[in-house]
Amino acid sequence: MSHTAELIAVGTELLLGNIANTDAQMLSQGLSALGINVYYHTVVGDNPQRLRAAVELAKSRADILITTGGLGPTCDDLTKNVLAECFGKKLVFHAPSARRIEAYFERLHAGRPMTENNYQQAMLPEGCTVLDNDWGTAPGVAFEADGVRVIMLPGPPRECRAMFTHRVIPYLKSLADGVIVSRTLKLFGIGESSMEAQLREEMEAMTNPTLAPYAKEGECELRITAKAADEESARALIAPVEERLRARFGPLIYGADVPSLEAAVFQLLKEKGLTLGCAESCTGGLIAKRMTDLSGVSAVFRGGVVSYATEVKHTVLGVEQALLDEFGAVSEPVARAMAEGARRVLGCDLAVASTGVAGPDPDERGNPVGLVYLALAAPDGTWVRKIQQGLGRERVRHVSASHGFDLARRYLSGLEVK
Amino acid sequence: MSHTAELIAVGTELLLGNIANTDAQMLSQGLSALGINVYYHTVVGDNPQRLRAAVELAKSRADILITTGGLGPTCDDLTKNVLAECFGKKLVFHAPSARRIEAYFERLHAGRPMTENNYQQAMLPEGCTVLDNDWGTAPGVAFEADGVRVIMLPGPPRECRAMFTHRVIPYLKSLADGVIVSRTLKLFGIGESSMEAQLREEMEAMTNPTLAPYAKEGECELRITAKAADEESARALIAPVEERLRARFGPLIYGADVPSLEAAVFQLLKEKGLTLGCAESCTGGLIAKRMTDLSGVSAVFRGGVVSYATEVKHTVLGVEQALLDEFGAVSEPVARAMAEGARRVLGCDLAVASTGVAGPDPDERGNPVGLVYLALAAPDGTWVRKIQQGLGRERVRHVSASHGFDLARRYLSGLEVK
């Protein structure tokens, strides 16, 4: 049997635009992975009448209703009160929850007395399943009434995500018919429109598995999604599609179900037992930052030099002054010398370098915004890639760093570096 | 007269959780700044029946309806068709829009022929105001019918934001009664709960202006919002509140309406004619990255050394091996030596250094996750701040970098550095 869920987020801060409704995104991803359809998201403010209207409507068209927010003392536990009323439930005092809230409060605000408001959080709909909240004070709630499964979760994204993962998914899994499995191929070096054009007919003809393209921050993804009775059958549906895509896009695919290019580079460095360093001008620390976002990377990442001022390229990285004078900081020879300098100075096996014009203005030699040279220095040679992008500063920097990782990825995978 | 707007986002990708509804956040912020109330956000998929239901409901309770998405050829121009139907409008061919789409297409895909689908985008409700789209192909639309002002915008956030800013705001401004002006004080070094506790009574007693606290990424904000007939009167309401808050929080306030701590540091460096550099261990390039996110920063930012491997602290930054051996990389003396080394190596006036344990595991000397030393070296001394946070890796790194900026901010503002 197929289920339909509807999401209602409660919070005036959402209607004022102070925050985006990322809870809805997180829940939608999770529900979709469970094979549960979501047809509507609604956002209402801290207002009982409008929440009631949204709940009555949702009740009439979904069999799973998930609310986020409105459980805290600052909004008078709005969501619990309204939902209990809409489904004809009384709120009753739940002693174990009160004790959990006390304990949480004690851990966080040692010495500060708990207020009456906090005890209100332990008033829960009679007969409900309490979803213990180990990440905040407001307990979550689940109950079934009038043919609808109602789930109330706290609004703060960190709490909402943890509660969904650890409390709601196990509960919902028992309802889902079959499983939905996705596998995402990640590509670098191809535009979304070109990828889509090559795949359009194939995608349109597919029903199970389906194939969906996404573009983000200069990369492309191809998500293959299969629905089947169990995971193994779903994976068997995915495999031949993945094979076809790999045959078509080959070296442009840098991984499957990997979080990022830098994570792919990290994995390859570990496999080969090699170390990496970097020398950054226009990316200004972003390459190092993205590497060190990955935990455990100290095993392979030595460090970097952010040579933002031209002088630092000479004094710290040892780029010859003559090169800087003749070609300027944004040039192929300087990119090369920066990468080679970083290898020497940092004592690493491979070094990636960037030099370019992030914008918003051209450099003093008239190099245009978006012109960037990336270099990779390795024991057996140095390679330079020149790119020219017509994007904003942040995008230029991000995509440039990705090109740097792509050079390393190609080298480490034994592909042609270019 | 007070207006009520309602937002409907159209797109199955939202219901699948592929993207968050950031358009709604952006529009809500903008509408709130115009004094227009928003009571509901709704998200529906690419489905005419469900969109129709959402539109009929919105029609019944709002006098401004803004839709985002569903204007592209891939969804058969769903939004335009359904809205035209709900409001009894015919779609007619709009030749100037067709020419704009042709021109846009030519610029982007020189040589590729435009498809029939693209011409569909030039079919617009009869008698509507066309909102020219200079950022994509789908034109926006505005019309008034049945007492409701209907505005349709493209979904891609970049297009939606530009269209709202340049096309919709001027149109809506003529409807707004009075203006709403906000001023945001930014604080670093105080917890949200402590700030809220100090201000709770005051905030609750205020009606115009209002005062709202926000916490994000280790910082706090206090937004003062006033509604008045014109901007000057609104600012006059804000000024005394700001004065009171400055008297109370003093050196914890690093700026008003400034985007970030690093932007405040950038501004102060420019004012004093000083340069900055950094030496980063646990922040791994994030300090340099955040500085170089700011355009024009090359005037004051020299660069940095990411000394992720302990050896690099010695070889590049000149931290004495004896210090590293005796105290370990995560220590007060090493933080100090890193900052002083960065000043020397990079030739900058001030240098910020970080060394600590970002996690997920304690370091080999047993220093706990979240222990970080930040140092600031200046011509007249070096200061070290020790912090201990109980947060995840990403948060530890971000907050650590902020503490580094805060040291520089305090020094440059003539405050006590501590």
Side-chain angles (χ1 to χ4, degrees):
Chain A
M1 183 200 141
S2 165
H3 291 280
T4 300
E6 197 157 328
L7 309 182
I8 299 180
V10 183
T12 301
E13 69 278 15
L14 290 158
L15 295 181
L16 291 172
N18 296 331
I19 54 171
N21 190 8
T22 52
D23 287 344
Q25 181 184 14
M26 183 274 296
L27 293 172
S28 291
Q29 281 175 350
L31 291 166
S32 150
L34 291 168
I36 296 171
N37 297 315
V38 179
Y39 290 148
Y40 292 95
H41 299 169
T42 305
V43 177
V44 294
D46 298 335
N47 176 293
Q49 284 74 34
R50 287 191 280 271
L51 175 56
R52 199 173 299 123
V55 171
E56 293 298 343
L57 188 62
K59 244 180 104 164
S60 73
R61 57 193 185 188
D63 66 338
I64 298 173
L65 168 57
I66 304 183
T67 68
T68 53
L71 295 182
T74 52
C75 59
D76 299 320
D77 295 276
L78 172 70
T79 305
K80 249 167 22 194
N81 285 310
V82 170
L83 273 278
E85 190 194 320
C86 288
F87 288 91
K89 295 261 179 193
K90 272 197 200 119
L91 293 180
V92 295
F93 184 72
H94 186 249
S97 288
R99 283 197 299 275
R100 289 182 75 90
I101 296 168
E102 275 168 5
Y104 186 89
F105 211 84
E106 177 60 31
R107 257 198 339 270
L108 226 74
H109 310 286
R112 228 170 76 194
M114 214 166 105
T115 64
E116 192 50 42
N117 280 339
N118 288 108
Y119 284 104
Q120 275 293 334
Q121 296 192 305
M123 296 294 291
L124 303 179
E126 53 184 347
C128 72
T129 303
V130 180
L131 307 174
D132 287 337
N133 183 350
D134 287 330
W135 306 270
T137 54
V141 165
F143 64 77
E144 193 174 342
D146 305 342
V148 181
R149 287 180 173 83
V150 177
I151 297 167
M152 295 183 237
L153 298 176
R158 202 181 55 91
E159 290 180 47
C160 188
R161 175 182 294 273
M163 292 285 283
F164 183 72
T165 306
H166 300 289
R167 306 282 181 260
V168 179
I169 288 181
Y171 170 74
L172 291 178
K173 267 202 171 145
S174 60
L175 311 178
D177 53 327
V179 298
I180 293 195
V181 176
S182 285
R183 189 159 164 87
T184 303
L185 301 184
K186 310 273 272 219
L187 290 82
F188 187 81
I190 183 172
E192 187 197 17
S193 57
S194 153
M195 185 179 76
E196 265 197 275
Q198 289 186 50
L199 294 174
R200 185 159 305 143
E201 277 183 37
E202 185 169 351
M203 286 193 295
E204 280 170 7
M206 290 169 74
T207 53
N208 188 25
T210 57
L211 182 60
Y214 301 97
K216 50 181 172 191
E217 301 188 321
E219 301 189 16
C220 288
E221 296 184 6
L222 283 169
R223 187 183 306 167
I224 315 165
T225 304
K227 191 164 182 168
D230 54 54
E231 178 160 343
E232 197 185 345
S233 317
R235 297 225 173 264
L237 290 169
I238 289 172
V241 178
E242 176 172 351
E243 206 169 308
R244 277 207 310 280
L245 292 170
R246 286 192 178 271
R248 188 197 288 270
F249 295 109
L252 297 172
I253 298 177
Y254 71 79
D257 290 341
V258 289
S260 61
L261 255 172
E262 54 270 32
V265 169
F266 179 21
Q267 186 55 41
L268 287 162
L269 287 166
K270 275 196 292 193
E271 284 168 24
K272 310 267 172 187
L274 295 175
T275 60
L276 181 73
C278 56
E280 304 187 62
S281 189
C282 67
T283 53
L286 183 57
I287 293 176
K289 187 259 175 198
R290 283 174 60 180
M291 276 313 287
T292 59
D293 280 342
L294 307 168
S295 74
V297 81
S298 58
V300 301
F301 185 68
R302 301 271 306 168
V305 174
V306 180
S307 53
Y308 215 58
T310 300
E311 234 178 85
V312 175
K313 295 180 180 67
H314 174 60
T315 55
V316 182
L317 289 171
V319 176
E320 281 177 46
Q321 192 59 46
L323 280 185
L324 291 163
D325 293 342
E326 184 176 350
F327 300 102
V330 179
S331 63
E332 196 272 354
V334 168
R336 178 182 295 275
M338 285 173 65
E340 290 169 356
R343 267 197 82 219
R344 205 168 45 235
V345 170
L346 300 167
C348 44
D349 299 307
L350 307 181
V352 169
S354 73
T355 182
V357 187
D361 299 311
D363 74 356
E364 67 290 348
R365 293 203 176 216
N367 287 312
V369 174
L371 173 69
V372 180
Y373 294 90
L374 285 309
L376 173 78
D380 52 336
T382 303
W383 293 265
V384 182
R385 183 185 289 180
K386 177 183 178 177
I387 57 172
Q388 170 67 57
Q389 316 158 71
L391 312 157
R393 179 179 176 85
E394 196 186 325
R395 193 70 191 274
V396 165
R397 282 156 50 90
H398 183 87
V399 172
S400 298
S402 297
H403 276 280
F405 291 126
D406 191 52
L407 287 175
R409 193 265 308 181
R410 284 177 170 263
Y411 178 86
L412 290 163
S413 308
L415 295 166
E416 188 189 356
V417 184
K418 57 176 188 184
Chain B
M1 185 201 138
S2 166
H3 292 280
T4 301
E6 197 158 328
L7 309 182
I8 299 180
V10 184
T12 301
E13 69 279 16
L14 291 157
L15 295 181
L16 291 172
N18 296 331
I19 54 171
N21 190 7
T22 53
D23 287 344
Q25 181 185 15
M26 182 273 296
L27 293 173
S28 291
Q29 281 175 350
L31 292 166
S32 150
L34 292 168
I36 296 170
N37 298 315
V38 178
Y39 290 148
Y40 292 95
H41 298 170
T42 306
V43 177
V44 294
D46 298 335
N47 177 292
Q49 284 74 34
R50 286 190 280 270
L51 175 55
R52 198 172 299 123
V55 171
E56 292 298 344
L57 188 63
K59 243 180 105 165
S60 73
R61 58 193 184 187
D63 66 337
I64 298 173
L65 168 58
I66 304 183
T67 67
T68 52
L71 295 182
T74 50
C75 58
D76 298 321
D77 295 276
L78 173 71
T79 305
K80 250 167 19 194
N81 285 312
V82 169
L83 272 279
E85 189 193 321
C86 287
F87 288 90
K89 295 260 178 194
K90 271 195 203 123
L91 293 179
V92 295
F93 184 71
H94 187 248
S97 288
R99 283 197 300 274
R100 289 183 74 90
I101 296 167
E102 275 169 4
Y104 186 90
F105 210 83
E106 177 60 31
R107 255 196 342 269
L108 227 73
H109 310 286
R112 227 170 77 192
M114 216 167 104
T115 63
E116 192 50 43
N117 279 340
N118 289 109
Y119 283 103
Q120 275 293 334
Q121 296 193 306
M123 296 294 292
L124 303 178
E126 51 183 347
C128 73
T129 302
V130 180
L131 307 173
D132 287 337
N133 184 350
D134 287 331
W135 306 271
T137 54
V141 165
F143 63 78
E144 195 175 340
D146 305 343
V148 180
R149 288 179 172 83
V150 177
I151 298 167
M152 295 182 235
L153 298 176
R158 202 181 55 92
E159 290 179 48
C160 188
R161 177 181 292 273
M163 292 285 281
F164 183 71
T165 305
H166 300 290
R167 304 284 181 260
V168 179
I169 288 181
Y171 169 75
L172 291 177
K173 266 203 171 144
S174 61
L175 311 178
D177 52 328
V179 296
I180 293 194
V181 176
S182 285
R183 188 159 163 87
T184 303
L185 302 184
K186 310 272 272 216
L187 290 83
F188 187 82
I190 183 172
E192 187 197 16
S193 57
S194 153
M195 185 179 76
E196 265 198 274
Q198 288 185 51
L199 293 174
R200 185 158 305 141
E201 277 181 38
E202 187 170 350
M203 286 193 295
E204 281 169 7
M206 289 170 74
T207 52
N208 187 27
T210 57
L211 182 60
Y214 300 97
K216 50 180 173 191
E217 300 188 322
E219 299 190 17
C220 289
E221 296 184 5
L222 282 169
R223 187 184 305 168
I224 315 164
T225 305
K227 191 164 181 168
D230 53 54
E231 177 160 344
E232 199 185 346
S233 317
R235 299 227 172 261
L237 290 169
I238 289 171
V241 179
E242 177 172 349
E243 207 169 308
R244 277 207 310 280
L245 292 169
R246 285 190 180 272
R248 187 197 289 270
F249 294 109
L252 297 171
I253 298 177
Y254 71 78
D257 289 341
V258 289
S260 61
L261 257 172
E262 54 269 34
V265 169
F266 179 21
Q267 186 54 39
L268 288 163
L269 288 166
K270 275 196 291 191
E271 285 168 23
K272 311 268 172 188
L274 295 174
T275 59
L276 181 73
C278 57
E280 305 187 61
S281 189
C282 66
T283 54
L286 182 57
I287 293 176
K289 186 260 176 196
R290 283 174 59 180
M291 275 314 286
T292 59
D293 279 342
L294 307 167
S295 74
V297 81
S298 59
V300 301
F301 184 68
R302 302 271 304 169
V305 174
V306 180
S307 53
Y308 215 59
T310 300
E311 233 177 271
V312 174
K313 296 180 180 65
H314 174 60
T315 56
V316 182
L317 289 170
V319 176
E320 282 175 47
Q321 192 58 47
L323 279 185
L324 291 164
D325 293 342
E326 185 176 351
F327 300 100
V330 178
S331 63
E332 196 273 353
V334 167
R336 179 180 294 274
M338 285 172 67
E340 291 170 355
R343 267 197 83 218
R344 206 168 43 235
V345 170
L346 300 166
C348 44
D349 299 308
L350 305 181
V352 169
S354 73
T355 181
V357 187
D361 299 311
D363 74 356
E364 67 289 350
R365 292 203 178 216
N367 286 312
V369 174
L371 172 70
V372 180
Y373 294 90
L374 284 310
L376 173 77
D380 53 335
T382 302
W383 293 265
V384 181
R385 184 185 289 179
K386 176 184 177 177
I387 57 172
Q388 171 67 57
Q389 315 158 70
L391 313 156
R393 179 179 176 86
E394 195 185 325
R395 194 68 192 275
V396 166
R397 281 156 51 91
H398 182 87
V399 172
S400 298
S402 296
H403 276 280
F405 291 126
D406 191 52
L407 287 175
R409 193 266 306 182
R410 283 177 170 264
Y411 178 87
L412 290 163
S413 307
L415 296 165
E416 189 189 355
V417 184
K418 59 176 187 184

